Amino acid sequence: MVLLAIAMIIFVLPSCEKDFGEQKEKSVYQSADGVFVVNEGHFMAGNGDVTFYNRSDKSVSDNLFFSVNSRTPGDIPQSMAFTEQFAYLIVNNSNSIEVIDLLDFKVKNTITGFDMPRQMAISGNKGYVSQLGSTKIAVIDLISNTISGYIEAHKSADCMKIQGDRLFVANWSSFYIDKPNNTIMVIDLTTEGLIDSVVVTKEPNSMVIDRNGKLWVLSSGGFMGEEYPALHRINPTTLSVEIVIQFPTKSSYPTQLTVGDDGEKLYYIDYDVYRISINDSEVPMSKFINAEGRSFYGLGSDPQNGEVYVTDAKDYQQRGRIYRYSSNGDLTDSFDAGINPSGIYFYRR
């Protein structure tokens, strides 16, 4: 929600798009290999939903949640997490998680009781949910679909990554919990307790694990440009910061760090899309994908073939569009999604 407000201030630009013809619309979800797009909708309007794109036949199932369940998921669908059988749709402003059967996309349960949930990480039969309005990580029992406990993190939390028996949690925002937002909190999953934290640049907004098992953290430097944005590489075992790649200007606002299929190439949005190798020591100067006036908002790389998907939120009022690129950056397809498309999630049966 806060990220959407920031993006609306920074990225409201005219959009342009290329037409690849009409996609075949499906009114009912058919479980297949494809891409889920989480559309946030407008704040307090409850008009967000999920779009599904079939990579094989390029068909699109729009407003998928509503078409299957005859209701909307709530206010600001934020992100998704997956097990083999279920999808978990985190709905930020409605303080809920919809548990969805991937076979037919029907809701099986709704978990409530959160305080502005953002992301969910899964380990075994447990889910860990970050919250912006609380200093606690909610622990979900995925068998009973209930909140079974909490982990005190002492700061608000956003994106998360699991590596080994540790959960790494980014403290992105200080808006609701007034504490410095420049740390990656480290939680031991065996004891479910906070064991350490790593200081990074202000406002860490996204994280990935590379092919060597190292944690990469992208920080914007703060909404007001308080610090230079930076990429940090952290050793998840020793918790040492092994490298810091600083952006040359505070006017950059990088977000949406994504790892390629080989675990070596990293992508991020800084108005345009950039690609950097895990072996580089400086941020790239050349663009991988030129936004050409579009409002790039979400980003994903297909873990099987390295294709890159980027979302265009346009003016943040109308329906957005998704662009599909080859691993070389060639545009191969595009399709419409819902309002403010942000999350890209790749699904294979």
Side-chain angles (χ1 to χ4, degrees):
M1 180 182 64
V2 177
L3 181 58
L4 175 58
I6 292 172
M8 289 179 68
I9 295 172
I10 296 177
F11 292 112
V12 177
L13 299 170
S15 65
C16 61
E17 61 188 52
K18 297 179 181 178
D19 185 14
F20 283 82
E22 294 183 3
Q23 274 76 24
K24 292 178 290 183
E25 291 284 342
K26 289 184 179 179
S27 59
V28 179
Y29 167 73
Q30 296 179 7
S31 180
D33 293 350
V35 181
F36 288 105
V37 180
V38 174
N39 307 292
E40 296 177 357
H42 297 133
F43 178 54
M44 297 296 289
N47 58 353
D49 210 298
V50 176
T51 300
F52 183 77
Y53 171 72
N54 187 314
R55 280 170 292 210
S56 299
D57 63 14
K58 298 183 179 180
S59 61
V60 179
S61 299
D62 204 15
N63 291 319
L64 176 58
F65 189 98
F66 183 86
S67 67
V68 173
N69 297 288
S70 300
R71 66 174 177 87
T72 65
D75 191 23
I76 312 295
Q78 185 70 49
S79 62
M80 294 181 80
F82 298 87
T83 61
E84 186 174 342
Q85 183 179 359
F86 296 105
Y88 300 83
L89 180 61
I90 292 86
V91 190
N92 175 248
N93 207 42
S94 290
N95 295 311
S96 61
I97 295 179
E98 300 289 352
V99 184
I100 302 165
D101 194 318
L102 283 167
L103 289 177
D104 54 16
F105 219 73
K106 291 182 179 179
V107 172
K108 300 304 178 184
N109 288 281
T110 300
I111 310 172
T112 59
F114 302 99
D115 195 347
M116 303 184 68
R118 294 285 292 183
Q119 305 273 336
M120 182 174 177
I122 294 174
S123 178
N125 291 322
K126 290 186 176 182
Y128 300 90
V129 180
S130 60
Q131 304 183 97
L132 278 189
S134 171
T135 62
K136 295 180 172 65
I137 307 294
V139 182
I140 308 300
D141 183 329
L142 300 183
I143 304 300
S144 63
N145 287 313
T146 59
I147 298 176
S148 60
Y150 297 92
I151 301 171
E152 178 58 68
H154 301 291
K155 291 184 176 184
S156 69
D158 189 28
C159 64
M160 300 183 292
K161 288 293 177 184
I162 292 176
Q163 180 68 350
D165 59 359
R166 289 177 170 178
L167 174 66
F168 294 87
V169 183
N171 170 224
W172 166 66
S173 174
S174 60
F175 189 84
Y176 298 98
I177 308 298
D178 188 16
K179 293 185 178 181
N181 55 327
N182 63 347
T183 54
I184 304 300
M185 298 164 286
V186 186
I187 292 169
D188 186 335
L189 291 180
T190 59
T191 62
E192 293 189 340
L194 180 69
I195 58 172
D196 211 334
S197 62
V198 181
V199 175
V200 294
T201 298
K202 186 179 179 66
E203 202 174 271
N205 58 56
S206 44
M207 302 187 293
V208 297
I209 305 292
D210 72 11
R211 68 177 186 182
N212 301 315
K214 300 300 178 69
L215 179 71
W216 288 81
V217 179
L218 178 61
S219 300
S220 69
F223 177 53
M224 301 303 294
E226 298 96 315
E227 300 176 9
Y228 286 93
L231 268 169
H232 290 69
R233 189 182 75 200
I234 299 172
N235 186 312
T237 302
T238 65
L239 302 184
S240 60
V241 176
E242 297 180 334
I243 187 173
V244 179
I245 303 175
Q246 193 172 84
F247 286 68
T249 172
K250 290 184 178 180
S251 63
S252 292
Y253 196 81
T255 61
Q256 298 288 323
L257 184 65
T258 303
V259 64
D261 61 317
D262 59 2
E264 182 174 330
K265 294 184 287 290
L266 308 180
Y267 302 87
Y268 61 88
I269 295 174
D270 187 8
Y271 305 98
D272 306 284
V273 176
Y274 291 85
R275 181 171 70 182
I276 183 173
S277 167
I278 60 173
N279 300 310
D280 289 343
S281 57
E282 296 180 345
V283 295
M285 294 295 103
S286 60
K287 304 168 185 177
F288 179 67
I289 299 171
N290 193 321
E292 299 177 322
R294 294 168 291 183
S295 301
F296 283 171
Y297 192 42
L299 183 67
S301 178
D302 191 322
Q304 186 174 75
N305 57 26
E307 290 183 328
V308 175
Y309 290 69
V310 59
T311 79
D312 175 14
K314 298 187 177 181
D315 60 0
Y316 302 92
Q317 300 300 312
Q318 61 180 302
R319 291 180 65 185
R321 194 164 180 88
I322 315 302
Y323 293 88
R324 177 183 182 181
Y325 294 86
S326 71
S327 58
N328 294 321
D330 299 319
L331 185 59
T332 60
D333 195 20
S334 68
F335 58 95
D336 287 334
I339 297 169
N340 294 318
S342 57
I344 299 287
Y345 301 91
F346 299 92
Y347 170 69
R348 284 183 169 84
R349 291 172 295 176

